[in-house]
């Protein structure tokens, strides 16, 4: 299989977090479970999807002294979310009102063909995934009219509709095959309609933060299951939503979702949950900052992650990342077992770094965790860049983590 082509197909199928979660579920083909019903779990694969979050797991035939091997990631990306009452006009233009979600680079979204993608909830409570045709655009103001070009996050990022034939919600309803009045709720994001592309060694696309990790985790789980090398560990892929806004939601890493699933798995195995946690580890998989050739001073001089040099271990003394000496060593062993090169990131003391689901989930669950990811340029841009080979290497290292750690 052409890994880059398959990854581009995954990205194309995942214009929003709910789409990404649904694509993970579809590709795995595991037994879907209802959290409101009792679970009778035997050996095999299971999946639970809630909006933009999805948790999948594989229970081995023999589980005498099990622990969890968890790959954690997130499905959401920074950008713009359609407001509850989106219809507006500006200087005669039909527009769609949006709210900034997380920390996007707003200027990177200007002058692009954009669609709406996400989930609608109908009057009867049913849900549908939708994606419109490209129908929106955030036009940039000509430099002649504003030499400073400062961006107001309220007034300067509202997209115009490229046609007056339908409002934003009318277009969404038409795509969903319902009347606009049948839509009682929605979570819809702006998505760049330009497909991802491989050019030489590089892959450019939207939502690489953090669908590089979701995809690599998905492929690693599939490969581990296909290998037939399941020991007595329960393999888990947990792709959360809302990481870009702090993870504090029912579908985020700070919520109860993963802990409840792990507890129910332990209960089905007849094993006390907390001792099982103590035998567990987690890889928090999230994108890393590659050193920028025009801004090398933003990195520490001895920690320069590069595209095409393997996954990056992220370490921070102030616990912005969850990596410890022990889990860092564990990850190095995984990379060596897979024959994969690896890199290390530690921040410049004068430049604040981001964080991940790692510290949040590790603190909540008490499970030892390492933070790793594929290095990117243009992180949080509408179109980010990675090395295609790094995604393959990341998948292989994660597979080794599930099987060999």
């Amino acid at each position: 299989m052409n890994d880059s082509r398959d990854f581009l197909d995954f990205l194309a199928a995942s214009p929003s977090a709910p789409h990404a979660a649904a694509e993970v579920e579809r590709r795995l083909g595991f037994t879907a479970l209802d959290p409101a019903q009792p679970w009778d779990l035997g050996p095999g694969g299971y999946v639970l999807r809630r909006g933009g979050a999805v948790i999948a797991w594989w229970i081995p035939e023999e589980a005498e002294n099990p622990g969890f091997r968890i790959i954690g990631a997130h499905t959401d990306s920074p950008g713009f979310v359609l407001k509850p009452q989106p219809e507006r006009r500006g200087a005669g233009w039909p527009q769609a009102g949006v709210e900034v979600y997380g920390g996007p680079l707003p200027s990177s979204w200007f002058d692009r063909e954009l669609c709406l993608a996400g989930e609608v909830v109908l009057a009867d409570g049913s849900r549908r995934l939708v994606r419109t045709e490209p129908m929106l655009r955030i036009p940039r103001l000509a430099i002649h009219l504003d030499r400073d070009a400062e961006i107001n996050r309220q007034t300067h990022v509202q997209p115009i509709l490229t046609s007056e034939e339908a409002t934003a919600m009318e277009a969404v309803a038409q795509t969903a095959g319902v009347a606009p009045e049948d839509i009682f709720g929605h979570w819809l994001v702006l998505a760049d309609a330009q497909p991802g592309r491989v050019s030489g060694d590089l892959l450019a696309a939207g939502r690489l933060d953090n669908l590089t990790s979701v995809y690599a985790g998905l492929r690693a789980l599939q490969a581990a299951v296909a290998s037939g090398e399941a020991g007595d560990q329960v393999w888990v892929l947990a792709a959360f939503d809302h990481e870009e806004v702090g993870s504090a939601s029912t579908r985020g890493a700070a919520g109860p979702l993963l802990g409840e699933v792990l507890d129910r798995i332990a209960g089905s195995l007849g094993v006390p949950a907390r001792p099982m946690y103590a035998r567990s580890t987690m890889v928090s998989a999230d994108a890393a900052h590659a050193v920028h050739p025009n801004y090398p001073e933003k990195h520490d001089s001895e920690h320069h992650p590069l595209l095409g040099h393997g996954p990056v271990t992220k370490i921070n003394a102030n616990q912005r990342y969850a990596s410890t000496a022990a889990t860092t060593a564990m990850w190095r062993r995984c990379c060596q077992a897979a024959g994969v090169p690896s890199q290390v990131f530690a921040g410049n003391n004068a430049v604040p770094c981001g964080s991940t689901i790692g510290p949040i989930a590790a603190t909540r669950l008490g499970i030892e965790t390492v933070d790793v990811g594929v290095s990117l340029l243009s992180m949080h841009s509408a179109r980010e860049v990675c090395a295609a080979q790094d995604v393959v290497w990341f998948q292989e290292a994660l597979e080794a983590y599930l099987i060999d750690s």
Side-chain angles (χ1 to χ4, degrees):
M1 179 183 291
N2 185 317
D3 292 284
S4 293
R5 181 67 263 167
D6 189 60
F7 180 40
L8 293 177
D9 289 344
F10 178 82
L11 291 171
S14 307
S16 73
H19 281 89
E23 182 67 3
V24 168
E25 180 181 28
R26 185 192 71 80
R27 285 179 172 233
L28 284 173
F30 289 178
T31 300
L33 296 177
D34 181 349
Q37 300 298 323
W39 294 354
D40 182 15
L41 304 180
Y46 301 89
V47 64
L48 173 66
R49 180 163 62 92
R50 182 179 294 173
V54 60
I55 300 180
W57 62 97
W58 181 267
I59 298 177
E61 291 283 348
E62 302 294 335
E64 295 181 0
N65 195 33
F68 295 108
R69 293 292 175 267
I70 306 167
I71 300 171
H74 67 88
T75 58
D76 63 318
S77 300
F80 301 90
V81 175
L82 198 69
K83 287 190 172 182
Q85 298 180 12
E87 315 306 346
R88 56 188 291 160
R89 295 191 75 86
W93 281 96
Q95 293 184 279
V98 296
E99 183 174 1
V100 178
Y101 179 83
L105 293 171
S107 62
S108 69
W109 287 81
F110 290 173
D111 303 321
R112 293 181 176 274
E113 285 68 48
L114 306 172
C115 64
L116 286 169
E119 185 177 58
V120 296
V121 182
L122 305 183
D124 61 3
S126 63
R127 299 166 181 261
R128 295 189 187 181
L129 294 177
V130 297
R131 170 167 44 187
T132 69
E133 294 297 319
M135 55 173 292
L136 303 112
R137 187 180 186 91
I138 306 174
R140 192 188 307 266
L141 182 65
I143 193 171
H144 315 82
L145 303 179
D146 186 356
R147 299 287 178 179
D148 296 328
E150 293 184 3
I151 298 173
N152 183 300
R153 290 163 66 91
Q154 169 62 19
T155 59
H156 296 165
V157 299
Q158 307 302 330
I160 61 171
L161 275 62
T162 56
S163 171
E164 293 207 48
E165 292 183 1
T167 67
M169 290 309 300
E170 286 171 345
V172 169
Q174 183 178 11
T175 302
V178 301
E181 58 269 21
D182 290 333
I183 297 177
F184 274 37
H186 59 80
W187 177 264
L188 298 163
V189 301
L190 296 185
D192 183 9
Q194 183 181 4
R197 179 188 174 105
V198 175
S199 177
D201 297 331
L202 301 183
L203 187 152
R207 305 177 298 283
L208 297 183
D209 178 13
N210 186 35
L211 294 186
T212 51
S213 298
V214 176
Y215 176 79
L218 164 67
R219 289 293 301 273
L221 180 57
Q222 289 176 312
V225 170
S227 74
E229 297 185 35
D232 61 355
Q233 304 300 303
V234 178
W235 297 331
V236 181
L237 172 63
F240 300 98
D241 201 352
H242 301 147
E243 189 275 344
E244 297 292 353
V245 292
S247 295
S249 75
T250 58
R251 302 192 294 273
L257 184 58
L258 178 58
E260 289 179 352
V261 169
L262 299 183
D263 288 350
R264 293 181 75 167
I265 296 172
S268 73
L269 297 175
V271 179
R274 292 302 156 177
M276 195 170 174
Y277 282 17
R279 294 189 292 270
S280 303
T281 56
M282 181 168 73
V283 173
S284 167
D286 202 348
H289 291 287
V291 65
H292 196 298
N294 296 337
Y295 305 90
E297 71 280 1
K298 294 296 183 179
H299 277 64
D300 180 79
S301 60
E302 305 306 314
H303 298 86
H304 272 193
L306 300 171
L307 300 187
H309 285 65
V312 179
T313 306
K314 299 185 284 186
I315 301 171
N316 182 262
N318 294 299
Q319 305 304 299
R320 298 291 288 170
Y321 305 125
S323 305
T324 67
T327 58
T328 297
M330 175 196 73
W331 181 249
R332 287 186 65 180
R333 291 193 297 271
C334 295
C335 290
Q336 287 182 348
V340 167
S342 62
Q343 308 179 79
V344 177
F345 171 82
N348 181 327
N349 290 331
V351 180
C353 72
S355 189
T356 69
I357 65 163
I360 296 170
T363 300
R364 181 172 181 81
L365 300 172
I367 293 177
E368 291 293 301
T369 301
V370 64
D371 265 294
V372 297
V374 169
S375 59
L376 305 182
L377 288 174
S378 307
M379 190 184 294
H380 285 204
S381 171
R383 196 166 178 85
E384 300 160 321
V385 179
C386 72
Q389 183 60 45
D390 281 341
V391 181
V392 177
W393 278 333
F394 196 25
Q395 169 203 325
E396 294 171 347
L398 289 171
E399 181 186 352
Y401 163 70
L402 294 176
I403 294 175
D404 299 325
S405 66

